[in-house]
Amino acid sequence: MIGFTSTADPEAGPYTLNGFWVADPWYGGTNTTHTEPDGGTIGLQPDTFITVSAWNSGYMLPYQDSKYENLHGNTIWHGAYTVVLRTVNGTQEPTKTYDTMPQKFSDTFGGAAAIDPGLPADPGYGLDYQAAVQGGIQSNLLDVEGPLAGKLWHVTAGRHVSVTSMSADIGNFDLVEVRNEGKTVAIAWLTHGIGGLHFAGLQTLYAGNALPDGAAAAGALHASGHAANGLHLAWEASSASFEPFSPFWVGTDGDGSSQVLTPEGQVVALASLNLGK
């Protein structure tokens, strides 16, 4: 976490967190086959904003490591909400020979009582993409804080796409172009819940997260010798896409096998992604 927005200055009294700006160490990693089968999301583009409700439901999840724990048994962190924090005030960093964590960070929490995702903070915006984008930006103070401050005063909602989530942690969602003076400057992430659309996050626009085009995807699959029956956008943290802002296309061949067009333009079999394994 490299920053946050809140309803008030934390030094001035009580406040409520709105969400976090994130710098993800997995972004740009060279291990392109890394997957995260036990849930959560990896590889987020720098300066991605995530609301607290989206963080609680899809990121801050109870710890598990099936690959390790299936062989060696559960770790002491299993099922607990676990975080890694930097030490402060010159306190020694833990090492293999010195593993006593600083007393300040010694508290542990287990069970579902540690974090209750609850309902999204916003009331829901029905099917009004414009209201969801504008309301989410304003309520999370993104028009006055963060890398897009000053560029989100009078934005409009542009093209949007629906994405089928294959993850148990994150439900189906929409991605929406956020336009300023006729130019797309960001991509908004909207989830579906009580009251309709909910604002879940924002990412500044770059080549890798521009909204995909269905006609171009169908052409790419046909050029690779595959059909594009039932073509739709999908996502799960996998070797095809680390983050929700960059979903992949799934189409079905004549023999019933599913093929994936990745955000990088590669065509691979869906089965090769080992989703959920």
Side-chain angles (χ1 to χ4, degrees):
M1 297 180 189
I2 56 176
F4 65 92
T5 66
S6 64
T7 56
D9 184 345
E11 294 185 349
Y15 66 97
T16 299
L17 285 173
N18 293 324
F20 310 100
W21 294 102
V22 175
D24 189 338
W26 276 109
Y27 175 73
T30 57
N31 183 2
T32 58
T33 61
H34 183 84
T35 60
E36 193 65 32
D38 289 321
T41 306
I42 56 178
L44 286 163
Q45 168 81 3
D47 291 332
T48 292
F49 178 83
I50 302 172
T51 64
V52 167
S53 58
W55 177 266
N56 287 345
S57 62
Y59 293 78
M60 187 61 187
L61 303 170
Y63 179 90
Q64 58 178 317
D65 184 346
S66 60
K67 184 176 181 180
Y68 177 90
E69 293 179 331
N70 286 344
L71 294 174
H72 305 286
N74 291 348
T75 67
I76 61 173
W77 305 284
H78 182 83
Y81 292 93
T82 306
V83 297
V84 178
L85 303 171
R86 293 179 179 177
T87 58
V88 294
N89 300 329
T91 306
Q92 180 179 344
E93 295 280 356
T95 66
K96 289 183 177 180
T97 57
Y98 174 78
D99 61 1
T100 302
M101 293 300 292
Q103 186 66 30
K104 187 171 183 178
F105 301 139
S106 63
D107 291 337
T108 59
F109 301 88
I115 292 180
D116 181 5
L119 297 175
D122 63 79
Y125 298 93
L127 296 178
D128 192 335
Y129 288 88
Q130 179 73 24
V133 168
Q134 287 186 328
I137 288 172
Q138 292 170 3
S139 64
N140 289 282
L141 307 178
L142 303 183
D143 50 349
V144 294
E145 298 180 8
L148 290 175
K151 298 180 180 180
L152 301 175
W153 290 102
H154 303 289
V155 298
T156 58
R159 189 165 62 96
H160 64 85
V161 296
S162 296
V163 182
T164 299
S165 174
M166 304 173 76
S167 167
D169 305 310
I170 295 176
N172 297 341
F173 58 92
D174 286 19
L175 297 176
V176 186
E177 292 175 337
V178 179
R179 300 180 66 80
N180 178 53
E181 297 182 348
K183 180 181 179 182
T184 300
V185 295
I187 300 296
W189 170 21
L190 304 181
T191 58
H192 300 262
I194 297 175
L197 296 168
H198 293 269
F199 183 85
L202 188 80
Q203 194 173 76
T204 54
L205 182 70
Y206 71 107
N209 69 354
L211 288 197
D213 178 81
L221 284 168
H222 283 299
S224 298
H226 298 284
N229 302 320
L231 189 64
H232 64 281
L233 282 169
W235 178 83
E236 181 171 330
S238 67
S239 55
S241 177
F242 282 171
E243 54 170 306
F245 288 93
S246 298
F248 46 81
W249 289 98
V250 180
T252 304
D253 268 339
D255 61 1
S257 63
S258 296
Q259 304 296 326
V260 167
L261 177 67
T262 72
E264 293 77 26
Q266 298 177 325
V267 177
V268 298
L270 179 64
S272 70
L273 300 182
N274 294 319
L275 299 178
K277 297 181 180 179

